[in-house]
Amino acid sequence: MNRKFTWFNATSLTLGFVFLYLPMIILVIFSFNSSKLVTVWAGFSTKWYGELLQNDAFLNAAWVTLKVAVLSSTLATILGTLAAYVMVRAGRFRGRTLFSGMIYAPLVMPEVITGLAMLLLFIAIGLDRGVTTIVLAHTTFTMCYVSVVVSSRLVTFDQSLEEAALDLGCTPFDAFKSVTLPIIAPAVISGWLLAFTLSLDDLVIASFAAGPSSTTLPMKIFSSVRLGVSPEINALSTLMISIVTVGVITASLISKRSIAKQRADEQAAVRT
Amino acid sequence: MNFRRLFLILTPYTWLLVFFLVPFAIVFKIALSDYAISIPPYTPQLDLSAGWEGVKSFFGELDFENFTFLASDALYYSAYLSSLKIAAIATLITLLVGYPVAYGMAQSSDEWRPTLMMLVILPFWTSFLIRVYAWIGILSNEGFLNQALMGIGLIDSPLTILNTNIAVYVGIVYTYLPFMVLPIYSALEKLDGSLIEAAEDLGCSRAQAFWLVTIPLSKPGIIAGCFLVFIPALGEFVIPSLLGGSSTLMIGKVLFEEFFSNRDWPVASAVAVVLLLILIIPIILFQRNEQKQREAGL
Amino acid sequence: MAQPANRPVFAPWTDPNEKPLIQFKNVTKKFGEFTAIDDMTLNIYRKEFFALLGPSGCGKTTLMRMLAGFETPTKGTILLDGVDLAPIPPNKRATNMMFQSYALFPHLSVWDNIAFGLKRSDMPKEKIPARVEEMLRLVRLEKFAKRKPHQISGGQRQRVALARSLAKAPKLLLLDEPLGALDKKLRQDTQFELMDIQEKTGTTFVIVTHDQEEAMTVASRVAVMDHGKMIQVDTPDRIYETPNSVYVADFIGDVNIIEGTASAKGDGKVSIAWAEGQPEISATLANGVALGTKVHFAIRPEKVAISSDRPEGKANVIEGTVHDIAYLGNISTYKVEVAGGRMIKAQVANDRRIARRDISWDDKVWLSFTDTAGVVLLN
C-alpha cells in the first residue's frame, strides 16, 4: 500500500503529542522544584517526596484506594468474565436484551448518575458506607469494562476448540478450565488491569459511595487540589504517572515480543 | 446441564439487577418524592408495616413536582443547555485536533504505528484527575502559559483563562483526545491506499481525493469518536469543578452540589433522570452507528 | 476399484445378517423453520470408510454433529451399537471427531494435545505416554512432540488432529472436511495416508466432504446428499457408473446430459429421440419404460469416442463440429456442437504427441458410443 508521509502529517503528529504530553512533563519537572511556589523554578530538590511520605492522610488514602482497587477489580474480573461468557455463549434466554443493556449502560452512564444511584441503594438497604460500599460500586461499573474486553476476545475464539474438548471427554466445566480460560487469559488479565486502573482513578463514584472514614486517594487529591496547586500533589502525580508508564511500556513490550516470537515460529513452521 | 447454565447466567445477572437496575428504580422513585427535613431527607417513605394502605398512600404521594420545578427554575434548564453547548463545542474542537493526529498516525510507516498507538493510549491509563490538575498550573494567572506569552512579548498583562469556560474546553479536549483519535485512526488504517491512487488517477487533486474519498470513508470513525467524547463530556463533573469558574454551568456539577451541599435528594434525583433522558438519544444513535459498522465488517 | 481376487470383498451392507454400527431411524433435524435433515434413515457398518458428500448446506455437517453429540435430532433416533445416543452427552460418547479447523489447543504442545483425551479417559496414568508415542509414530510426528501447534506446518497440524482424535481408540471417528485446508498436492498424498491409517486401526470412519474426488478416493461407500435428503448411497464405482438421478450424475464428475423421449425396444433396450432428423440414441434400461416418457440420458465424456471418419459397428453415431478443445495434458476434452446447437463433450487420452493430433477447431467429426455406455435417468 502506498502511503505518503508528508510534512503536514509530521507537524500534526508533533503538535498533537506535544499537547498530550507537555502538561504532564511540566508536572513531573516541577515536582522536583525546591520552591513552594509551583510555577517558579528555584532549584532541584526531592523534599516534596519526603514530605509526601510523611503525610499520614495521603498514605492512609493510598492504602484504602489500593485495597478497594485489588478487591473490586478481582471481583469485577470474575463477574465480567462470566457476563461475557453468557453474552457470547449462552445463546438466547429470557431477559437477554435487558442483560446486554445492563452491561453496556454503565459504560456510557455519567459517573454522577451511577454514583448517586449507588448511594441511594446503599442508604435504602441500610448498608454502612465504607470500604465495602466503594468495592461494591467499583465492581459494578468496572465489571462492564471487563466484560467488553473479554467478550471481544471470546467472539474471535474458535468454538470448535471447546467442542473438541467435550469430544475428548471433558465435562463443560473442565473444558472451560483447561481450554477456554488458558486461551482467553490475556484478555482476562487486561480486563483486570483495566478494572484496577479505573478503580484507582475514580473520584466521582467513590465520593458518593464512601463514608466519612474511608477517603480514597483521588478524593484526597481532589479536596487538596481545589485549594490550588501544591508541590506535594505534583510529587504524588509524578509517582503515579511513573508507575503507569512503566507498567504500560512493560506490558506492551512483552506482548510485542510474544507476537514477534509467534510470527517467527509460524514462518519456521512453513519452512519445515 | 441446565442447572449449571442457569447458575452461569444468574450470577452476573443478579449482580447487575441488584447493583445497577434497582438503584435506578430508587432514583426514579426519589425523583417523584418531596424534600423533607428528616433522615433520609425525602418523603413519602414506603411503610410496609401499614400493609396495602401504606403502599397505596405511598404511591398517592408521588408526583412530578420536582420536574416542574426543574423546568421553572432557570438555574436547571440553563445548566442543561450550557452543558449541551459546552459538550458540543468541545467535541467539535476535539475532532479538529484529533483528526490530523489520527491521519498522521495512519500515514506513518508500519514500524512507527505501534509506538504512536501506545503514545495515544498511555494518557488514558494515567489518572484523569492528575491530567486535569496538570492544567491548573499551566492556565492560572501566574501559570506557564501566561509566563511564556509575556516572555515573548505577545501580551503585557496575564490573561484570565483558568476558571473560565475556555479552561473547561481545554480540559475536555485534552482528556478526551484519545477517545477521538483511536476510532478515527482505526477507520483510516483500514482504508485501502489504492483508493486514493485511483481517485488521483481519475483526475482528483490530492486535496480533492482527501475530501472525496478519505473523509467519507472515515465517517464511521468520526461519528464514533464524536459520541465517545460528547456523551461523557455532557455529564462531566471533575473538569468544570477544577478548571471552570463560578459562571460555568454544567449539569454534573449542579447534580453533585444539589446532593452534597443542598442535600436535596429528590431534586438531585430529578436532575439525574432528566440528564439520563437527554443522553438516551445520543446513546441510541451511537449504538446504531456501532451496529452498522459491525454489520459492514462481517 | 476392483478388489484382488484372493481378498474377500468388503461389503457388509450386502449381508442381511451383519448388524450396523450406526443406525439413523427417521431422523429429522430442524433449526427453527429450516429443515437441515429430512426424515433420514441410514445404516453404517463396522470398519466402513463412509463419505457424506454434498454441497454446503446440504446437511452433511449437521448429520456428523448429531453423531458427535453437538446437535440433537428434532425427531427420530440414532443408535450406536444398538444403543440410543440421545441421552449421552458428547464427552461420554465413544465417538471422536476431527474438526475442520483441526481445533488444536494452541496453548498445549503436540504431545499434550494427543494426551488430552487420554487423561480424561479411564486409561491408567502410566499407560498414557506409551499410547501417545504410538499415535505419534502412526502419524510420523515423533520429532515434533514438544512443539506448539503454531510451530508446525498445516499438513503436520492435520496429522496431530488425526492422532488426537484416534488416541482414545473410538468406535467411530468423524472427520469434518479433514483435508479442506491443505493444498491439492498434499491433499492427494494425505488421502492415501488416511486410508492406510483407517485400515491399520480398523476404526469406522465417517468423513464429510464437498470434494467428490476425495470421497471417491477414500470411501468404501459414498452418500450423496442434497437439501437434507440422501439422494444415493452406494460404492464409488456404482455412484459414478450408475447414478440414480441427474443430480448425482451431475454432481460426480463431468457428464453429458441429453434430454429426450423414450420408447421401449424390448429385451432391456430403449431408444431415445433427442433431436429432429437425428438417429435415436440406443441405450439399456432393465425395467423398460412406457412409450413417450421424458428421460435424461447421461453419458461420461470419456465414454464418447471422437473420430474424423464415420466409425463402423457402433450402436450410436452422432455427427458434429468441433467447437472448442481443452488441452489438459494427459487428456483433451472436445466440445462438439451437434444437431440443435447442443454441445456434447468427448474426452480422449493424449497417448500421442500433440503435433500429430488430427482433429482441430471447426472440423467435422463423428461421436460414437456403445449402447451400454450411458445411463437412462427417469426423473
Side-chain angles (χ1 to χ4, degrees), chain A residues 3-4 6 8-9 12, chain B residues 95-96 98-107 184 188 191 193 195-201 203-219 222:
Chain A
R3 291 177 192 271
K4 296 183 199 105
T6 59
F8 175 77
N9 297 138
S12 48
Chain B
L95 174 63
L96 294 178
Y99 198 98
V101 175
Y103 186 59
M105 283 171 70
Q107 294 292 102
I184 296 178
L188 284 173
L191 196 125
L195 291 176
I196 307 292
E197 290 176 352
E200 288 180 26
D201 181 62
C204 281
S205 69
R206 289 204 65 171
Q208 278 175 317
F210 177 80
W211 188 247
L212 294 172
V213 178
T214 311
I215 295 271
L217 287 174
S218 57
K219 215 174 85 191
I222 294 175

Side-chain angles (χ1 to χ4, degrees), chain B residues 44-73:
Chain B
Q45 308 279 330
L46 181 56
D47 185 9
L48 282 177
S49 57
W52 179 236
E53 277 307 308
V55 176
K56 227 161 65 179
S57 77
F58 167 77
F59 278 106
E61 281 184 50
L62 295 178
D63 52 45
F64 289 93
E65 208 174 286
N66 294 313
F67 294 97
T68 26
F69 172 63
L70 288 191
S72 61
D73 191 329

Side-chain angles (χ1 to χ4, degrees), chain A residues 158 160-161 163-172 174 178-179 182-183 261-262 265-266 269-270 272, chain C residues 65 70 90-91 95-97 99 101 103-107 116-117 120 147 150-153 156 164 168:
Chain A
D158 180 5
S160 61
L161 286 173
E163 288 179 348
L166 292 179
D167 185 64
L168 293 166
C170 282
T171 60
D174 189 12
S178 43
V179 174
I183 296 172
K261 186 178 178 300
Q262 182 150 347
D265 284 343
E266 272 161 15
V270 172
T272 49
Chain C
R65 289 172 60 82
F70 301 125
N91 51 327
T95 61
N96 280 123
M97 180 152 169
F99 289 80
S101 62
L104 295 180
F105 304 127
H107 58 302
F116 191 92
R120 283 156 182 86
R147 296 230 190 148
H150 64 87
Q151 294 170 313
I152 55 178
S153 71
Q156 290 164 342
R164 185 179 73 178
K168 290 177 85 176

Side-chain angles (χ1 to χ4, degrees), chain A:
Chain A
M1 202 184 308
N2 183 13
R3 291 177 192 271
K4 296 183 199 105
F5 190 73
T6 59
W7 65 268
F8 175 77
N9 297 138
T11 319
S12 48
L13 279 183
T14 315
L15 287 178
F17 285 114
V18 165
F19 175 62
L20 273 179
Y21 283 91
L22 194 60
M24 281 193 270
I25 292 168
I26 293 175
L27 192 72
V28 170
I29 292 172
F30 276 78
S31 73
F32 295 104
N33 188 1
S34 62
S35 164
K36 178 89 185 161
L37 287 169
V38 282
T39 52
V40 183
W41 183 256
F44 182 83
S45 157
T46 54
K47 69 174 174 188
W48 303 114
Y49 290 87
E51 291 206 2
L52 185 68
L53 294 176
Q54 302 294 315
N55 190 332
D56 280 342
F58 273 120
L59 290 181
N60 281 338
W63 176 235
V64 170
T65 309
L66 206 62
K67 253 192 318 198
V68 167
V70 169
L71 282 173
S72 69
S73 58
T74 308
L75 258 175
T77 306
I78 296 169
L79 287 165
T81 306
L82 274 179
Y85 201 77
V86 169
M87 281 299 294
V88 179
R89 287 296 155 77
R92 281 186 214 160
F93 56 89
R94 279 171 74 109
R96 192 181 191 280
T97 322
L98 177 65
F99 185 68
S100 74
M102 288 195 297
I103 284 180
Y104 287 107
L107 303 179
V108 288
M109 195 63 70
E111 289 168 315
V112 278
I113 299 184
T114 313
L116 175 72
M118 286 282 175
L119 172 59
L120 294 178
L121 170 81
F122 295 142
I123 290 169
I125 58 176
L127 200 58
D128 276 342
R129 278 176 285 153
V131 171
T132 322
T133 47
I134 312 178
V135 169
L136 288 175
H138 279 186
T139 304
T140 307
F141 96 95
T142 56
M143 71 174 273
C144 304
Y145 287 86
V146 175
S147 106
V148 168
V149 172
V150 174
S151 63
S152 72
R153 175 68 189 90
L154 273 177
V155 167
T156 59
F157 181 92
D158 180 5
Q159 206 166 341
S160 61
L161 286 173
E162 272 168 21
E163 288 179 348
L166 292 179
D167 185 64
L168 293 166
C170 282
T171 60
F173 179 72
D174 189 12
F176 181 78
K177 195 190 71 187
S178 43
V179 174
T180 316
L181 203 54
I183 296 172
I184 64 167
V188 174
I189 292 169
S190 37
W192 187 88
L193 280 174
L194 184 61
F196 185 79
T197 330
L198 288 168
S199 169
L200 274 189
D201 202 19
D202 170 66
L203 165 70
V204 177
I205 294 175
S207 301
F208 279 99
S213 62
S214 52
T215 306
T216 65
L217 200 52
M219 288 164 70
K220 184 76 197 140
I221 295 175
F222 184 69
S223 59
S224 24
V225 163
R226 287 194 115 167
L227 305 173
V229 180
S230 90
E232 267 184 316
I233 301 283
N234 283 357
L236 179 63
S237 307
T238 304
L239 285 180
M240 289 171 76
I241 292 173
S242 350
I243 292 170
V244 168
T245 310
V246 169
V248 170
I249 292 178
T250 317
S252 82
L253 283 183
I254 289 172
S255 82
K256 203 172 165 185
R257 192 175 310 162
S258 74
I259 290 170
K261 186 178 178 300
Q262 182 150 347
R263 218 170 271 164
D265 284 343
E266 272 161 15
Q267 276 163 5
V270 172
R271 267 181 261 120
T272 49

Side-chain angles (χ1 to χ4, degrees), chain A residues 2 20-21 90 95 201 234, chain B residues 5 13 119 127 133 174 197 265:
Chain A
N2 183 13
L20 273 179
Y21 283 91
D201 202 19
N234 283 357
Chain B
R5 183 181 135 97
Y13 209 124
L119 283 174
S127 169
Y133 163 74
Y174 180 68
E197 290 176 352
W265 293 12

